[in-house]
Amino acid sequence: GAVVSQHPSWVICKSGTSVKIECRSLDFQATTMFWYRQFPKQSLMLMATSNEGSKATYEQGVEKDKFLINHASLTLSTLTVTSAHPEDSSFYICSASDGETQYFGPGTRLLVL
Amino acid sequence: GQQLNQSPQSMFIQEGEDVSMNCTSSSIFNTWLWYKQDPGEGPVLLIALYKAGELTSNGRLTAQFGITRKDSFLNISASIPSDVGIYFCAGQITGANSKLTFGKGITLSVRP
């Protein structure tokens, strides 16, 4: 079946630093990937849609200069949280579409101290 | 924006019981999906529904796409302890490359 991986699975960083999270589709090509954020006991909130070779589309209220997305290949999208602050601490999850179904990665837990 | 309604927030059942979860929307979706999320993991797709009225099964799970395209239900039969988790419904307007709108999820607890 389709597998999506994320790296790292968890990260702790100091306030003000930048953190990069990778999302890979391991056995299929994904022209479209999605980035979500999930706070404790809440649902997944879509942050942005990442299209290979073009600029990401951000949801309302998501700062594109703070959450940089790069989808350089059909199997890799990256999310960089720039100048992270404690309120950015969350569970970040990506999904990748094979054209029929969206498959989710295992998530990355970010803790900003 | 669009929202999917799932309630109650939590459900508690006895092992072996059946449970049904409903998901409603004020607007139409062309695809309905049900996901299960375990703590600290990403959601896993359980069932995808593509046609209004469609009834689909996956083992002990059965889901239906409402004929109005504004609702869906998921039924779990003969529950077991590993059914514990958060169940999310999600809707899509167009194809698989379009964004998903998620419900708030229902936390299911199964008493042995």
Side-chain angles (χ1 to χ4, degrees):
Chain A
V3 178
V4 177
S5 70
Q6 283 184 240
H7 178 79
S9 55
W10 60 269
V11 56
I12 301 173
C13 69
K14 291 182 179 179
S15 186
T17 60
S18 294
V19 174
K20 181 187 281 189
I21 303 170
E22 292 185 349
C23 177
R24 293 182 186 272
S25 55
L26 297 185
D27 48 3
F28 66 98
Q29 293 185 330
T31 55
T32 305
M33 292 184 173
F34 302 85
W35 287 96
Y36 296 82
R37 182 167 50 182
Q38 186 179 34
F39 292 107
K41 298 189 185 300
Q42 293 190 22
S43 188
L44 286 78
M45 295 302 295
L46 180 66
M47 299 174 67
T49 302
S50 168
N51 295 296
E52 187 266 337
S54 64
K55 289 184 181 179
T57 303
Y58 290 83
E59 294 299 297
Q60 195 171 8
V62 178
E63 297 176 58
K64 63 179 182 181
D65 294 330
K66 179 168 180 65
F67 298 99
L68 302 178
I69 291 172
N70 185 284
H71 193 158
S73 78
L74 287 172
T75 60
L76 174 64
S77 175
T78 61
L79 169 68
T80 301
V81 183
T82 63
S83 187
H85 290 286
E87 57 265 30
D88 297 323
S89 299
S90 189
F91 193 47
Y92 291 85
I93 310 172
C94 71
S95 73
S97 171
D98 66 356
E100 290 188 8
T101 305
Q102 285 187 31
Y103 299 94
F104 283 83
T108 297
R109 177 80 56 192
L110 171 63
L111 177 60
V112 185
L113 302 177
Chain B
Q2 292 173 320
Q3 275 195 320
L4 296 185
N5 303 306
Q6 288 184 264
S7 66
Q9 193 172 356
S10 303
M11 300 181 78
F12 300 86
I13 61 173
Q14 198 74 32
E15 183 177 358
E17 288 183 342
D18 299 347
V19 63
S20 189
M21 304 177 189
N22 202 37
C23 184
T24 61
S25 170
S26 57
S27 52
I28 288 172
F29 288 97
N30 293 316
T31 301
W32 285 83
L33 306 115
W34 286 91
Y35 289 88
K36 178 176 182 262
Q37 186 179 29
D38 291 328
E41 305 277 340
V44 173
L45 180 65
L46 298 175
I47 292 181
L49 301 156
Y50 301 104
K51 279 187 190 177
E54 178 182 354
L55 183 71
T56 297
S57 292
N58 178 8
R60 294 180 295 107
L61 308 179
T62 302
Q64 183 155 35
F65 189 152
I67 56 172
T68 65
R69 293 192 282 160
K70 291 183 178 181
D71 66 302
S72 175
F73 77 75
L74 173 72
N75 200 69
I76 305 172
S77 63
S79 59
I80 58 178
S82 61
D83 290 333
V84 165
I86 305 175
Y87 290 81
F88 291 99
C89 62
Q92 268 181 320
I93 295 178
T94 52
N97 290 342
S98 67
K99 61 183 181 182
L100 295 172
T101 299
F102 278 87
K104 291 189 175 182
I106 293 176
T107 300
L108 179 66
S109 299
V110 180
R111 290 187 292 261

